[in-house]
Amino acid sequence: MVSDTLWNGISIIKNTVVNVKVIFIERSADTLQNYQNLLGDIMQLDNIDHVAIQVTHIARGVAFYKKNFNCEVEYEDQSWALLKFENTKLALVLPAEHPPHIAIIDDELEGGDVHRDGSRSKYEHDGYGNMVEIITYKDVK
């Protein structure tokens, strides 16, 4: 038979190992979360500001999207409109005024043209026939 002292010693060792494992796992999880938070700050995905499609008549285009989808009109005039959806915006533009494009926010943007809505941007071709607008609303002068 094993003495009570030996059983007590084994129990203490077992509890210590379990406690060390729990502490290690908790600290590892905290460290992993800290690394994920840090990487999240560094590796944050870019945001699409809007997608612009061409229509031949702005008011009719707005009426179509309002009738068929739950969206809000952020801006509308005779040359373009901006519709707000839950996850992005849709710009309706006239062919003679703007190219169809996708706009991606870049708050590090330097240069570009200032627009009437308070944004600053520049357009680039992606090499596949698509236009990309790089846009910022930060520090526009």
Side-chain angles (χ1 to χ4, degrees):
M1 289 198 153
V2 180
S3 70
D4 287 341
T5 305
L6 182 56
W7 279 117
N8 289 339
I10 291 172
S11 178
I12 290 170
I13 290 171
K14 179 182 170 191
N15 288 338
T16 302
V17 169
V18 168
N19 288 338
V20 167
K21 283 182 181 178
V22 168
I23 290 169
F24 178 76
I25 291 168
E26 287 174 354
R27 288 193 178 159
S28 295
D30 289 344
T31 302
L32 179 59
Q33 185 62 48
N34 289 340
Y35 284 130
Q36 288 173 337
N37 290 341
L38 181 61
L39 288 176
D41 291 342
I42 295 170
M43 303 294 291
Q44 185 174 0
L45 299 176
D46 289 330
N47 287 307
I48 294 176
D49 183 65
H50 66 270
V51 174
I53 60 172
Q54 291 181 336
V55 296
T56 56
H57 193 279
I58 299 298
R60 286 195 302 255
V62 169
F64 171 83
Y65 283 94
K66 287 290 293 170
K67 177 182 176 190
N68 291 288
F69 303 100
N70 188 15
C71 59
E72 298 173 359
V73 178
E74 263 193 22
Y75 181 86
E76 179 181 358
D77 67 19
Q78 292 186 4
S79 66
W80 75 284
L82 191 62
L83 305 176
K84 182 179 178 181
F85 288 78
E86 180 68 31
N87 60 338
T88 192
K89 294 177 276 188
L90 178 66
L92 305 179
V93 299
L94 295 175
E97 298 287 327
H98 298 281
H101 62 272
I102 184 169
I104 299 174
I105 295 175
D106 180 358
D107 287 334
E108 303 298 318
L109 176 69
E110 295 183 15
D113 297 322
V114 176
H115 303 287
R116 58 187 156 195
D117 67 351
S119 65
R120 182 170 41 86
S121 71
K122 61 183 176 182
Y123 290 89
E124 298 179 4
H125 290 278
D126 70 357
Y128 297 97
N130 302 300
M131 189 67 74
V132 178
E133 181 181 19
I134 311 300
I135 191 168
T136 186
Y137 297 91
K138 186 176 179 183
D139 301 327
V140 178
K141 297 174 184 168

